[in-house]
Amino acid sequence: MFEVGATGEVSTEFVFDGGFYEGELGIFKTEGMSAFLYDTTAFAKEAARRVLTNSSWGYVAIYDPTEGAKFSGILGAEPRDWNKGTYQGFKTFSMNPGYEFGLILAPRNRMEDVFNNPALLTGTRDPLFSIATADPKDAFNSGQIADVTGLGAVFAIEDMPVNAGADKDYNDVMFLVTGATGTAALLDKAIKPELDWRGTVLGRNILDYIKSATDTDPPAIAAGLVNDTGEESGDGITQDTAIAGRVTDRSRIASLRAGFDSTPLENFTDVTAYLNGDGSFSFFRALLE
């Protein structure tokens, strides 16, 4: 399940498209879905109906035939780059704070197809869900979807049933969610080791982006005099103007700027070149003057 945050605003971003099949990914509120517990066809029809309302009951998050993902390229063992279409950026949907929603993936279909003829969709056209059965209280379908980073924000879903043909490379549909938190099996435990794409150049680029996109805490900066020569230690008085410090953050530091006292932010000096790989930096007299 995904739980909507306090603002009620949920946003999704199509991060990577590594699947041959083209279809739609929808989100639907799970309230009342237990009424369809013993009828999977009715469950699929109702989930699709909610997605098609384009309301707090559900939305289409990704329409693969015309929408492109943020990243393109060959990831893992895919034979080619499957990404095409126009990248849409983040899509934002209004939902009810505290409510839960699930996912429905319609591979090789549209939501209208699932709604109109759910009983006729079988094999590779069968809709896939993020819950293991029609019971909305179920946990995520084990292995159908995986949490890429373990933070409940970026997920990869297989476009074939995980117990009937999925290759378990978890790059078919990768998306980022903000404004809601989900729970799924960790990618570490779900992905087939020989298909693990995270060590590739493109994989590392995707992971770097994910870290920056989901990092909402500001960097922490600590700095001080290298040599305090004043009468009292820590009085900030020195004859040696060297300054050293460190910047720490969960993501890579892309830029560091510095200025004195009341210097306007727009006039700060770019000192990124003095930033070491571990986040440490040193400014000596020639630079400070």
Side-chain angles (χ1 to χ4, degrees), residues 29 31-32 36 39 57 67 72 81 95 116 120-121 130 136 149 161 191 208 212 216 228 238 248 280-281:
K29 187 191 298 186
E31 179 187 9
F36 309 97
D39 188 338
W57 285 97
E67 293 180 22
S72 294
D81 179 3
M95 303 194 79
N116 291 326
L120 301 179
L121 304 177
S130 59
T149 63
I191 196 168
D208 284 345
S212 64
T216 57
D228 191 327
T238 187
T248 57
S280 63
F281 58 86

Side-chain angles (χ1 to χ4, degrees), residues 182-200:
T183 305
L186 295 178
L187 186 62
D188 281 335
K189 296 181 178 180
I191 196 168
K192 190 176 289 187
E194 61 269 28
L195 298 178
D196 195 337
W197 45 264
R198 290 173 293 179
T200 67

Side-chain angles (χ1 to χ4, degrees), residues 119-234:
L120 301 179
L121 304 177
T122 59
T124 58
R125 295 182 181 273
D126 200 22
L128 304 171
F129 295 90
S130 59
I131 48 181
T133 72
D135 184 354
K137 293 182 180 180
D138 261 342
F140 275 105
N141 193 354
S142 180
Q144 194 65 53
I145 188 170
D147 186 333
V148 175
T149 63
L151 298 176
V154 183
F155 299 88
I157 187 168
E158 288 286 88
D159 61 5
M160 293 183 67
V162 72
N163 57 356
D167 57 10
K168 297 185 180 180
D169 58 1
Y170 294 94
N171 63 19
D172 296 337
V173 180
M174 193 183 309
F175 57 96
L176 187 154
V177 179
T178 64
T181 303
T183 305
L186 295 178
L187 186 62
D188 281 335
K189 296 181 178 180
I191 196 168
K192 190 176 289 187
E194 61 269 28
L195 298 178
D196 195 337
W197 45 264
R198 290 173 293 179
T200 67
V201 173
L202 177 56
R204 289 194 296 269
N205 288 340
I206 292 173
L207 292 177
D208 284 345
Y209 169 72
I210 289 172
K211 287 181 180 179
S212 64
T214 58
D215 186 1
T216 57
D217 296 322
I221 302 177
L225 295 171
V226 172
N227 185 19
D228 191 327
T229 62
E231 293 183 1
E232 298 181 10
S233 176

